[in-house]
Amino acid sequence: MRILIPMLLLPVLAFAAGQSATSGASTINVMPLPAFVQVQPGKLKLEGSFTISSDGYTDARLQAAILRLQQRLEGRSGIVLPLGIAPNGKSATLKVGVREGGTAYPGLGDDESYALVIDGTGATLSANTVWGALHGMETLLQLVSGDHDGYYFPFVDIQDKPRFPWRGLMIDVGRHFQSVEVIKRNIEGLAAVKMNVFHWHLSEDQGFRIESKKYPKLQEMGSNGLYYTQEQVREVIAFAADRGVRVIPEFDMPGHAGAWMVGYPDLASAPGPYTIQTHWGVFDPVMDPTREETYRFLDGFIGEMAALFPDEYFHIGGDENNGKQWQANAQIQEFMRAHGYHSTAELQTYFNQRVLQIVQKHGKKMVGWDEILTPDLPKGTVVQSWRGYKSLDQAAREGYGAIWSTDYYLDHMGPAEYYYLSDPLPVGSSLTPEQASHIVGGEVCAWGEFLSPENIDGRIWPRSAAAAERFWSPQNVTNVADMYRRLDVVAVWLEQDGTLQLSSMDKMLRQVSGTAELGPLGVLGKITSPEGVGVREQLTRGNPSTQLVPLVHLTDAVVPDPPYRRQFAALVEQLLGDAPKFAVSSDELARTFQEWRDMGPGFAAMAAKAPVLQDASSRVLQLQKLGSTGLEALKYLQSGKNPPADWKDAQLALVTQAETPDMSFLKLPWMGSYRALILAAAGVGDLKGASPKQWKQQVMDEAARQEPARKYTW
């Protein structure tokens, strides 16, 4: 009979062992990596006799989680398993021991630790609470492996707990509405990688997305009919809570509130009427902070929403108020003079203080973007930083809970490694341990300007799984290559559980092309990535995108961090590492370049039937040239002779052109590696005077110096 690890020792064990156990490359595909893991020789078979018992506390949440685990194991293995909890007294393959239920609804600071031991006698999952057990089940599922003998779990000893208690994803449904189905499948993704907060951005200038029974014109006039009923909200909250995920609503105020004022113009600081915005940006409509009617309205609304959402935190937004309506309103200006306010920022502080009193009256703690960080802010408030470490550190130093989001804006289309290496509490932080304790975690932000139900999964996953590891795993887990190795696996797991990031691109490409065989369009989709929101806004200033523009262009379909970027880089590395023969990977690169060189006619034929594809014609033309030049580069490398003197400058000019954003809004994210190939071919004659290793390093260093810097935040 197996003995459970003493529950009270779990956090101590995890902390003590996690200092160095997982800092290098891992041998398992778990993401996030546990605080402590030891892999032992041997395997526990997954067979039709695999049963699960509950040897401690059991409730409906745990029973449902065990059933989901069994069904997911069946889906991944094709093995029929005995469903449900095995009867007491019957020996089981997996023994789940939970000490107590914990809170009825997940909350900040819950004990989420667990221990998982798999050896020759079976598997034991031990946790202090149901929430820890849920995380342990996700780890167990990720450990499933297969070989010629069938499916199995490797022998492991895992003791695990999160580094930060707040690990979130924000989805903006104000700019583009997302269905309950979309929300649920992304909550499944959150739970799979041990994230525990779904931040629901429910109001914007472009739409008010929730039913208010007290103020029905909010959704009737401010949503174009696209909103969640309160029953749907309860459904999402219950769905998330069963998976250990909190749901925190955000209602932006006093700015970004234009949709409120369509139905209730008296809330505004200037006369109406108001309409729903279809463009993006910062707009003038802002709530009037000087009228008591504003606070009576907010008291009624916040009270209604506080009763609907059980989480202890309530997000009021508070960002990007330009103050123009306040400056133009004589009565508001008189109010400011009477109260000694010299700026609109001081007036917003007054507004925030009044709203805070309402939030507290209804039993909630306030969360806001870092503009709310002003003197006299009560210490129970949580500040979400989007403007950098300065505001994050200030919040922590002053004793407020602080959430890091600055580098986690998914709409800027950074690669997974960018999010992975951005730490809410980086090495070298000047915060004292007590101050650092106020940094409670981070949130990945999926802003909605260019999100649709078809592409949202590919914009969120799998990159958010890299951020999830940063929030959960020890600080020294920073091996980017190993992260990507596991990320390729987790992308498949996530889609097995319902997210669509692997299949959505091809579906969207078939939708716009009208063909089942994608041919050159499929090649283009595989090797490109979308430009970020900043580039799109900059290039369309004369004809800006709006909420009404269908998101069906190639840039809307392709994924932000395509695996091909790394695959191409590996091919070039292998080729240059084989100097002076340059044989390794040369055949595959030659086939790739030939494919690019020859793709023009096929793509043109597709674009003639599907004109929406014509936006990408410029990139296709560049790819044809890059393909021809790539073949030339291979020829020069293998000949060992430098090309003509003007060849290098001409090809680097082509590289620069291909790296310059254009109206296709498509990036070629592997251009850094392609530049290294060109530089290598241009200087292959220099190999005679240097060792191949030194020569390769010089080439790679020069390519890195020439690569333009990419910015993934505002």
Side-chain angles (χ1 to χ4, degrees):
M1 183 174 181
R2 301 192 51 74
I3 300 174
L4 298 181
I5 293 176
M7 302 296 180
L8 294 176
L9 294 180
L10 280 176
V12 176
L13 288 173
F15 177 81
Q19 298 302 305
S20 60
T22 54
S23 57
S26 61
T27 58
I28 55 176
N29 291 326
V30 172
M31 180 173 271
L33 275 179
F36 170 82
V37 58
Q38 284 185 337
V39 181
Q40 306 289 350
K43 55 190 179 182
L44 175 67
K45 285 191 173 183
L46 174 59
E47 301 174 308
S49 59
F50 185 91
T51 55
I52 302 176
S53 68
S54 177
D55 293 354
Y57 174 90
T58 303
D59 62 12
R61 296 171 300 176
L62 187 63
Q63 292 172 347
I66 288 173
L67 181 59
R68 288 196 303 272
L69 171 65
Q70 292 167 325
Q71 292 169 335
R72 292 161 75 192
L73 286 170
E74 286 186 332
R76 295 189 184 182
S77 68
I79 299 171
V80 178
L81 300 176
L83 300 183
I85 297 175
N88 288 335
K90 186 173 181 179
S91 178
T93 316
L94 169 65
K95 295 179 174 64
V96 179
V98 176
R99 181 174 181 178
E100 59 186 36
T103 54
Y105 177 85
L108 181 65
D110 285 344
D111 188 337
E112 300 177 271
S113 62
Y114 70 92
L116 177 63
V117 178
I118 304 175
D119 59 24
T121 64
T124 299
L125 171 59
S126 309
N128 287 336
T129 68
V130 171
W131 311 126
L134 295 181
H135 296 319
M137 290 181 201
E138 295 296 342
T139 299
L140 179 76
L141 190 69
Q142 293 177 1
L143 286 169
V144 174
S145 305
D147 59 19
H148 62 279
D149 290 328
Y151 290 96
Y152 67 92
F153 302 97
F155 287 179
V156 293
D157 180 357
I158 291 173
Q159 299 165 28
D160 203 6
K161 70 169 185 176
R163 180 177 171 215
F164 295 106
W166 191 304
R167 308 177 303 280
L169 165 69
M170 186 222 71
I171 297 181
D172 164 21
V173 299
R175 292 174 174 87
H176 276 109
F177 183 74
Q178 306 295 335
S179 69
V180 169
E181 177 188 2
V182 170
I183 298 300
K184 280 186 173 181
R185 71 183 184 230
N186 281 284
I187 288 173
E188 291 273 26
L190 288 176
V193 293
K194 301 182 176 65
M195 295 173 83
N196 64 354
V197 173
F198 169 49
H199 171 172
W200 211 348
H201 188 87
L202 286 161
S203 71
E204 261 301 337
D205 294 295
Q206 295 79 16
F208 194 94
R209 303 302 186 189
I210 192 169
E211 175 191 25
S212 171
K213 295 180 179 179
K214 192 173 184 67
Y215 302 108
K217 286 190 287 186
L218 285 171
Q219 74 272 7
E220 290 171 358
M221 300 180 67
S223 72
N224 289 320
L226 298 173
Y227 64 91
Y228 307 101
T229 67
Q230 293 195 8
E231 186 55 39
Q232 288 175 318
V233 170
R234 292 189 186 94
E235 178 186 342
V236 168
I237 291 170
F239 182 89
D242 277 351
R243 289 153 179 79
V245 175
R246 302 159 53 203
V247 179
I248 297 176
E250 179 185 352
F251 299 99
D252 224 336
M253 59 183 83
H256 282 295
W260 297 63
M261 297 153 190
V262 180
Y264 297 93
D266 289 347
L267 286 172
S269 299
Y274 289 91
T275 58
I276 298 171
Q277 289 286 350
T278 59
H279 289 79
W280 319 125
V282 177
F283 300 97
D284 297 346
V286 59
M287 294 178 181
D288 187 339
T290 68
R291 299 174 69 244
E292 288 303 311
E293 290 85 347
T294 300
Y295 301 108
R296 282 195 287 270
F297 183 100
L298 291 175
D299 185 28
F301 176 76
I302 291 173
E304 182 182 15
M305 294 299 110
L308 180 61
F309 288 90
D311 200 87
E312 63 180 323
Y313 287 92
F314 192 96
H315 204 304
I316 67 155
D319 60 319
E320 295 187 318
N321 169 23
N322 64 22
K324 289 182 178 180
Q325 283 193 347
W326 290 353
Q327 293 165 347
N329 185 308
Q331 290 180 327
I332 292 176
Q333 288 297 301
E334 178 57 35
F335 181 92
M336 291 176 63
R337 284 191 292 270
H339 288 76
Y341 299 144
H342 303 289
S343 67
T344 55
E346 291 177 344
L347 182 58
Q348 183 159 338
T349 297
Y350 167 78
F351 174 84
N352 290 343
Q353 294 284 358
R354 293 292 303 272
V355 172
L356 175 62
Q357 293 171 11
I358 295 170
V359 170
Q360 291 177 326
K361 169 187 171 182
H362 294 289
K364 302 295 184 182
K365 298 177 182 177
M366 193 169 81
V367 190
W369 300 101
D370 53 18
E371 287 93 332
I372 72 167
L373 183 56
T374 56
D376 302 321
L377 188 67
K379 291 297 188 278
T381 306
V382 172
V383 178
Q384 185 164 4
S385 176
W386 70 279
R387 296 189 296 185
Y389 280 116
K390 183 177 180 180
S391 61
L392 182 83
D393 288 0
Q394 180 187 348
R397 284 192 175 95
E398 295 181 11
Y400 301 104
I403 305 169
W404 179 237
S405 285
T406 302
D407 288 342
Y408 298 141
Y409 275 31
L410 297 174
D411 56 331
H412 289 274
M413 306 301 173
E417 65 202 70
Y418 176 80
Y419 308 104
Y420 189 65
L421 296 177
S422 177
D423 198 310
L425 189 60
V427 174
S429 170
S430 61
L431 298 178
T432 67
E434 193 280 330
Q435 291 167 344
S437 69
H438 294 290
I439 296 180
V440 294
E443 279 189 5
V444 179
C445 298
W447 294 106
E449 285 91 341
F450 299 105
L451 292 182
S452 70
E454 291 77 24
N455 73 8
I456 185 172
D457 298 46
R459 294 294 190 260
I460 294 175
W461 308 108
R463 293 182 300 160
S464 291
E469 182 154 291
R470 180 57 48 238
F471 301 154
W472 179 281
S473 301
Q475 187 179 48
N476 61 357
V477 177
T478 55
N479 187 314
V480 171
D482 186 62
M483 178 274 290
Y484 269 122
R485 179 188 66 79
R486 290 176 290 115
L487 194 68
D488 289 341
V489 178
V490 82
V492 178
W493 296 333
L494 288 166
E495 189 149 279
Q496 287 175 337
D497 291 332
T499 58
L500 305 177
Q501 73 280 350
L502 294 180
S503 58
S504 61
M505 182 182 73
D506 283 356
K507 181 181 178 182
M508 292 179 71
L509 295 181
R510 288 192 293 270
Q511 175 183 328
V512 297
S513 68
T515 61
E517 297 298 325
L518 295 174
L521 181 59
V523 173
L524 192 64
K526 174 185 174 183
I527 67 176
T528 60
S529 62
E531 290 284 6
V533 62
V535 172
R536 290 183 75 158
E537 291 183 353
Q538 181 180 7
L539 293 183
T540 58
R541 281 179 181 167
N543 184 27
S545 183
T546 76
Q547 191 182 47
L548 305 178
V549 174
L551 298 176
V552 295
H553 293 260
L554 282 181
T555 188
D556 300 311
V558 297
V559 299
D561 190 12
Y564 186 79
R565 176 178 69 92
R566 292 173 281 124
Q567 295 164 5
F568 185 80
L571 292 174
V572 172
E573 283 264 0
Q574 291 164 7
L575 179 77
L576 301 187
D578 192 40
K581 294 184 293 182
F582 300 106
V584 176
S585 302
S586 62
D587 289 346
E588 187 168 354
L589 282 168
R591 287 192 295 270
T592 295
F593 295 144
Q594 290 165 2
E595 190 173 47
W596 297 354
R597 180 196 63 189
D598 300 338
M599 74 185 300
F603 181 83
M606 297 182 80
K609 296 180 179 179
V612 70
L613 300 176
Q614 292 174 5
D615 289 346
S617 297
S618 60
R619 283 292 186 239
V620 172
L621 180 60
Q622 289 168 352
L623 276 168
Q624 291 180 264
K625 295 177 181 178
L626 292 170
S628 296
T629 297
L631 291 170
E632 292 176 7
L634 292 177
K635 180 186 70 175
Y636 289 127
L637 285 170
Q638 291 172 344
S639 72
K641 297 179 180 178
N642 285 342
D646 60 349
W647 184 86
K648 174 183 175 181
D649 289 342
Q651 307 321 317
L652 289 178
L654 174 62
V655 169
T656 299
Q657 182 185 32
E659 288 176 323
T660 302
D662 67 9
M663 292 303 290
S664 72
F665 306 123
L666 292 173
K667 285 189 297 189
L668 304 177
W670 35 265
M671 288 305 301
S673 300
Y674 187 90
R675 176 185 281 105
L677 180 70
I678 298 302
L679 291 172
V684 66
D686 298 339
L687 253 175
K688 299 173 184 177
S691 72
K693 185 176 181 180
Q694 291 173 327
W695 173 85
K696 176 191 170 186
Q697 191 60 52
Q698 290 171 358
V699 168
M700 302 303 289
D701 289 346
E702 179 61 23
R705 281 193 294 270
Q706 292 189 23
E707 188 166 0
R710 281 281 182 177
K711 187 177 180 182
Y712 300 115
T713 58
W714 289 109

